[in-house]
């Protein structure tokens, strides 16, 4: 038995027999495995169908902190107990070096700690198997975080504990010294690195997630406050070890460097031989005698061991080198992403190059080559650009993923000069493309397309890259610096999913300028304009797909390992905006298509039942599409994929779940790109059935929108208009009709706005807009409105559809005058609040005369029906009122009146507050 | 052969514990006596490389402790039983010895080591308690286990510090026998303030006081120095001029008498043949060193 094995045996034996260890271990196992047990108990009542990934994640939210604490305590206890018990003086006479002793001790501790850390993880696996069956246990979410997070934490914190315990020589001293090391050293490192624009924020133990997890576990679920909900939904898509490893490594490097350095220094402080230090000569009457005596003793206590062996010195050197290596790795990562960010920032600042002129549009566009087998692509793009203008054009600009290289670029005729900056390609062809002429170019592309995730959290996503990186670049204080060492890349080709966007596959013509513009609400915030021009091209694809993946494209191309035939070439052709080109895929299970006319629905294998629940009607073939909007064809070419969020790649994947919980309840659960439909995984795992009509509406809206892309600022309006039109055609008219109801006092202002450009105005899109579309339908008729939409979508115009064009078409197709309505409600955003005033009932002769006013309490035109009910039926008239001018009305009837009602059929677009004011009953008293 | 030359130690707070101690130790027992605070523990710590001296040389069988290359080898040659020794309480005696053997890289196979441990346990009389946790051992059993661990690797130098303090007479005798047996083929340094232990086991002893080695020789030499100079007299009688009090003790009638050291006759006093304990006491008294209460001979 080797000495190391003896150390291990000894450690296992002594720890196992120690009551302190047993209590600590039991607490660790119980606390660490508790979420898995709780999830098992609650899994029948959970609002989500959670799989193995959630069981694993819930355990791993807690385990890092627990592991760190247990590792520190056990290791400090192990070393100080040995010294306290008095056996140290005999152990210190061992012939081995101090380094040999300490390293063996550390290794031996792992023999105790690592099996201990496995127990809660195993509990998660067992709970998964017990709740969902053995097939539901997915190993990667269990093994990955354990191997790359928990184990390194145990290794590092035990090294830290052993080192601190050895140096400090006692539990309390070790804790104090540990606090100093873990706070002071990173602070010093950051102070130095701040001069180079680098800052490490740490976060290895994920204490934020830990405390949130504790809160979630201990707080009952409330729909009003879904943040602390338990369990946490996680993606069941296959794990991407490389992406996770990159993030774990960046988090672990600094603490591990500290731990290694501490252990290295501990080799020099084992105190097998107390050193001889130069004595302080302190006179008996010295005023600071006692203090100086303490200092002298501390010097003696903490001076390093004398006459270290060669192996001790080598170990210390190696430890310091390793620690420096860890630090260097972080610095290198920070520098790497700093360079990437600077390149992007610089390009965004310059606004170069000039975009492609609008009259040069793509013609035939062919993308062929190979995807994978790893994360790379090797493609050849044959791109034809047509000059529809009147002057020769020699300059073109394209967008291409920054991680895709242009290996070669050539033109069929003439020459072609490409200059590349960040994701921008400036292409100058010579001779220029003549008016009416074309130029075919060929690009050979290679690389690993990916998205750089430079900043953690959603704040950066809101502020945008330019501001966030600009703040980092021009930071006044170290605290303003972002930790770029924790940046990572989300690969377009990953075991988790294949998500190749157009710029990952081909240079995408850029028509919009790259010049930053000030945000409307916050002019100091500069934003990059999005593309607004999406000319259609004849796109063809011929791509060798990576084996084992189901891969689809928006033209209806599909490669599936489940289908017979040679493995995979994605071959398709359609008319599509180049910017809409995409290839999506993953490891999926296809739902059966009994009729053969339905869509291909592919879901993650664990979610087969959920896929059937939510999307089965699409696979079975659907006639609803035709009901919703005639002439759209069937779903044979449509591929519906369950879609894991890009956030699933991040270690803070819980953020995706939280954003989903807060998301607009009326949102689309699917996104449509041509024939390719993606349904968010986090929607899929909900246990309540999604309304199929909303899915169909989104599908139809997507198909309609494909006919003609909308301008980015108006895309949300067009999408919502189409979606609401389809829903209302299918009979899903809002309960309030054209009336906006159920609004809390004080929130009216949120609705009195024009249709926003963004989707997060939930009150508007879910409450007011359906009522507004209903009012529009009532006013102009459903077919006229549909005709207006068909009109704008069918225009063979390469320019994107704008709201102004849409409004003009609606006005044109409406037989009733509708200009004021559009101006007031769509352009100005007014929301009338009409009420009845001054209603009087007069009996004159043989009949009754009823008069009154409709007064609009806010702005905009209220054109509403006024109804008088009598004992023999009802009379009606129309009143018009705006903010300044009330509308008078009067009725004459021989019958006794009962009540006057404002718009009882809810056809008039207005806001009804709970205060009433829309009906007056005749109480028998004449006025 | 272990040679220590001019060993001095001044602690960081300025306290001079040793002031140039030189000694050479050969095979056999060497008893080290000295009152509390004399520097015994400092000396032992320096001897077993647990403390770095401020000055002096330490040579162990020709290996100089000043060289970092030789220290591991020197450590392998030392067995040490400290005064405050406790074995690892969670281990049985057998497991503990096995651990110590592995720690000290005893070059024995599994079976041979098992035999060696069994022999040691038998030698220290712990064979029956070998599989009990050492945390349950009595003080004497722990000391015996301590001797076993100090001998497990067959050291060339065995250093035992106050091994019999707190033991009952039976255990003390057993312990002396153990140590004596070990000394047949190694150097054994027994540090104690119990003179009786030294008298019973050591053919050579040293006395440390005020940081110096005041005496180094055979016990008979210490006895010889006191022979004819010790007197016993009633405690209430005045101390004669030129005499030093060595100790006090109860007389047979229940009174207190004192034993004094003086050259020449002492009227009214009874001459007394010296014991080693009294000779040691007289030696210290002559050096002007007041023995601490713990250093007083029993019965005083």
């Amino acid at each position: 038995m080797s000495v190391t094995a003896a150390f291990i045996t000894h450690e296992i034996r002594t720890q196992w027999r120690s009551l302190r260890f047993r209590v600590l271990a039991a607490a660790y196992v119980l606390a660490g495995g508790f979420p898995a047990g709780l999830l098992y108990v609650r899994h029948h009542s959970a609002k989500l169908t959670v799989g193995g990934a959630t069981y694993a994640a819930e355990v791993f939210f807690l385990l890092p902190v627990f592991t760190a604490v247990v590792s520190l305590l056990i290791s400090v206890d192990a070393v100080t107990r040995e010294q306290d018990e008095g056996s140290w003086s005999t152990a210190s006479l061992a012939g081995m070096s101090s380094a040999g002793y300490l390293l063996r001790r550390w290794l031996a501790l792992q023999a105790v700690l690592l099996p201990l850390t496995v127990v809660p993880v195993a509990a998660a696996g067992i709970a998964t198997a017990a709740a969902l069956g053995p097939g539901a246990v997915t190993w990667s979410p269990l093994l990955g975080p354990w191997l790359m997070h928990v184990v390194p934490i145990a290794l590092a914190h035990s090294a830290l504990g052993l080192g601190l315990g050895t140096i400090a020589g006692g539990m309390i001293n070790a804790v104090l010294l540990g606090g100093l090391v873990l706070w002071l050293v990173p602070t010093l490192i950051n102070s130095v690195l701040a001069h180079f624009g680098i800052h490490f924020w740490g976060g290895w133990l994920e204490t934020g997630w830990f405390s949130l997890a504790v809160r979630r576990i201990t707080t009952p679920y409330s729909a009003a406050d879904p943040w602390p909900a338990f369990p946490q939904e996680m993606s069941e898509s296959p794990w991407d070890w490389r992406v996770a490893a990159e993030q774990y490594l960046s988090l672990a490097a600094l603490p591990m460097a500290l731990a290694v350095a501490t252990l290295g220094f501990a080799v020099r402080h084992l105190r097998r031989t107390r050193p001889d230090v130069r004595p302080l000569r302190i006179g008996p009457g010295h005023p600071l005698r006692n203090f100086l005596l303490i200092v002298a003793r501390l010097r003696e206590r903490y001076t390093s061991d004398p006459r270290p062996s060669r192996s001790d010195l080598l170990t210390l050197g190696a430890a310091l080198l390793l620690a420096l290596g860890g630090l260097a790795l972080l610095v290198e990562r920070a520098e790497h992403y700093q360079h990437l960010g600077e390149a992007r920032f610089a390009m965004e600042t310059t606004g170069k190059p000039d975009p492609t002129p609008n009259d040069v549009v793509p013609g035939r566009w062919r993308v062929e080559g190979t995807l994978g087998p790893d994360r790379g692509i090797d493609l050849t793009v044959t791109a034809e650009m047509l000059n529809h203008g009147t002057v020769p054009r020699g300059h073109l600009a394209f967008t291409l993923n920054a991680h895709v290289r242009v290996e070669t670029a050539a033109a069929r005729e003439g020459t072609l000069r490409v200059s590349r900056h960040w994701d921008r390609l400036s292409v100058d062809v010579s001779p220029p493309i003549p008016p009416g002429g074309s130029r075919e170019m060929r690009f050979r592309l290679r690389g690993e397309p990916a998205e750089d995730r430079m900043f953690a959290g959603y704040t950066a996503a809101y502020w945008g890259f330019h501001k966030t990186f600009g703040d980092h670049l021009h930071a006044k204080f170290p605290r303003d610096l972002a930790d770029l060492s924790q940046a990572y890349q989300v690969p377009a080709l990953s075991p988790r999913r294949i998500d190749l966007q157009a710029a990952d596959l081909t240079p995408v013509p850029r028509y919009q300028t790259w010049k930053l513009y000030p945000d409307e609400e916050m002019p100091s915030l500069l934003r990059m304009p999005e593309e607004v021009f999406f000319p259609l091209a004849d796109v063809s694809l011929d791509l060798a797909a990576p084996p084992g993946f189901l891969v689809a494209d928006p033209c209806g191309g599909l490669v599936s390992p489940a289908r017979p035939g040679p493995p995979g070439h994605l071959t398709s052709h359609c008319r599509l905006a180049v910017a809409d080109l995409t290839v999506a895929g993953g490891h999926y299970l296809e739902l059966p298509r009994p009729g053969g006319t339905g869509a291909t629905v592919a879901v993650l294998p664990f979610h087969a039942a959920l896929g059937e629940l939510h999307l089965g009607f699409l696979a079975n073939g659907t006639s609803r599409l035709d009901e919703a909007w005639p002439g759209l064809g069937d779903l044979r070419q449509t591929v519906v994929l369950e879609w894991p969020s890009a956030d699933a790649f991040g270690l803070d994947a819980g953020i995706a779940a939280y954003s989903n919980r807060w998301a607009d309840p009326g949102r689309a659960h699917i996104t449509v790109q041509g024939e390719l439909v993606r349904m968010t995984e986090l929607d899929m795992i909900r246990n309540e059935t999604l309304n199929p009509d909303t899915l169909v509406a989104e599908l139809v809206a997507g198909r309609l929108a494909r006919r003609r892309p909308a301008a980015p600022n108006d895309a949300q309006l067009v999408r919502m208009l189409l979606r609401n039109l389809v829903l209302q055609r299918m009979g899903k008219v809002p309960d309030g009709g054209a009336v906006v109801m159920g609004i809390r006092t004080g929130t009216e202002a949120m609705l009195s706005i024009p249709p926003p450009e963004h989707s997060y105005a939930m009150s508007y899109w879910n409450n007011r807009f359906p009522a507004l579309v209903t009012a529009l339908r009532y006013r102009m008729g459903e077919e006229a409105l549909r005709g207006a939409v068909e009109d704008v979508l069918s225009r063979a115009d390469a320019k994107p559809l704008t709201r102004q064009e849409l409004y003009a078409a609606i006005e044109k197709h409406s037989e009733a005058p509708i200009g004021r309505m559009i101006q007031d409600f769509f352009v100005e955003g007014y929301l009338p609040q009409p009420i009845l005033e001054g209603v009087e009932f007069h009996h004159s002769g043989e009949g009754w005369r009823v008069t009154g006013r409709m007064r609009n309490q806010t702005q905009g035109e209220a054109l509403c029906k006024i109804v008088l009910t009598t004992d023999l039926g009802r009379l009606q008239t129309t009143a018009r009122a705006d903010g300044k001018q009330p509308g008078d009305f009067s009725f004459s009837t021989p019958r006794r009146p009962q009540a006057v009602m404002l718009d009882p059929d809810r056809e008039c677009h207005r806001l009804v507050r709970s205060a009433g004011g829309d009906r007056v009953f005749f109480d028998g008293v004449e006025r | 052969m272990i040679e220590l030359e001019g060993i001095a130690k001044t602690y960081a707070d300025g306290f001079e514990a040793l002031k140039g101690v030189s000694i050479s130790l050969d095979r056999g027992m060497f008893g080290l006596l000295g009152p509390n605070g004399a520097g015994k523990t400092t000396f032992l710590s320096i001897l077993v490389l647990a403390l770095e001296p401020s000055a002096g040389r330490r040579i162990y069988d020709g290996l100089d402790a000043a060289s970092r290359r030789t220290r591991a080898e020197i450590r392998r040659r030392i067995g040490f039983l400290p005064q405050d020794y406790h074995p690892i309480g969670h281990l049985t005696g057998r497991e503990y010895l096995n651990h110590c053997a592995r720690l000290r890289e005893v070059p024995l196979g599994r079976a041979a080591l098992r035999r060696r441990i069994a022999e040691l346990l038998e030698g220290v009389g712990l064979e029956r308690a070998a599989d009990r946790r050492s945390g349950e051992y009595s003080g004497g059993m722990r000391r015996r286990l301590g001797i076993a661990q100090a001998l497990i690797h067959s050291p060339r130098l065995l250093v035992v510090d106050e091994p019999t303090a707190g033991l009952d007479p039976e255990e003390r005798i057993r312990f002396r026998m153990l140590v004596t047996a070990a000394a047949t083929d190694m150097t054994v340094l027994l540090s104690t303030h119990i003179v009786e232990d030294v008298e019973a086991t050591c053919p050579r002893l040293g006395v440390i006081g005020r940081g110096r080695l005041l005496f180094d020789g055979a016990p008979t030499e210490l006895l010889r120095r006191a022979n004819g100079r010790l007197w016993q007299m009633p405690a209430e009688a005045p101390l004669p001029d030129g005499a030093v009090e060595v100790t006090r003790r109860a007389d047979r009638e229940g009174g207190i008498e004192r034993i004094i050291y003086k050259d020449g006759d002492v009227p009214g006093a009874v001459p007394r043949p010296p014991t080693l304990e009294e000779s040691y006491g007289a030696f210290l008294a002559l050096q002007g060193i007041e023995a601490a209460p713990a250093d007083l001979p029993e019965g005083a």
Side-chain angles (χ1 to χ4, degrees), chain A residues 707-761:
Chain A
R707 291 184 180 170
R708 188 175 169 205
N713 291 347
D714 302 325
Q716 172 71 3
L717 168 65
V718 172
R719 187 178 78 84
M720 292 305 288
L721 176 65
L722 296 175
R723 187 166 181 260
N724 277 283
L725 274 179
V726 174
L727 280 173
Q728 294 190 18
R729 278 181 63 83
M730 292 193 297
K732 304 289 177 190
V733 179
D735 291 342
V739 175
V740 182
M741 301 170 68
I743 299 299
R744 281 183 298 172
T745 305
T747 58
E748 297 87 347
M750 293 166 65
L751 301 178
S752 301
I753 52 173
E757 295 165 4
H758 45 75
S759 61
Y760 47 82

Side-chain angles (χ1 to χ4, degrees), chain A residues 6-7 10 13 17 85 87 89-96 272-274 276-277 279-280 293 296 300 307-308, chain B residues 9 11-13 48-50 52 54 66 68 71-72 75 80 82 86 88 90 95 99 102-104 133 149:
Chain A
F7 269 79
H10 170 69
R13 196 175 269 155
R17 289 175 186 174
E85 278 184 346
S87 56
S89 45
T90 54
S92 68
L93 279 174
M96 70 189 69
R272 305 164 88 194
T273 304
R274 284 164 61 197
D276 182 65
V277 297
L280 291 179
L293 283 176
E300 194 170 75
R307 306 187 203 289
Chain B
K9 177 65 189 177
Y11 286 101
D13 56 5
V48 299
L49 305 193
E52 198 65 5
S54 304
R68 64 163 62 109
R71 290 172 82 93
R75 283 195 171 100
F80 181 41
H86 293 274
I88 298 171
H90 292 306
E95 288 167 350
H99 174 60
R102 293 304 180 193
L103 202 67
R104 291 177 186 165
R133 292 198 188 173
Q149 66 81 24

Side-chain angles (χ1 to χ4, degrees), chain A residues 4-26:
Chain A
T4 306
F7 269 79
I8 290 171
T9 310
H10 170 69
E11 198 65 48
I12 293 172
R13 196 175 269 155
T14 51
Q15 292 287 6
W16 188 244
R17 289 175 186 174
S18 155
L19 182 63
R20 270 185 290 190
F21 172 79
R22 289 205 298 261
V23 169
L24 208 55

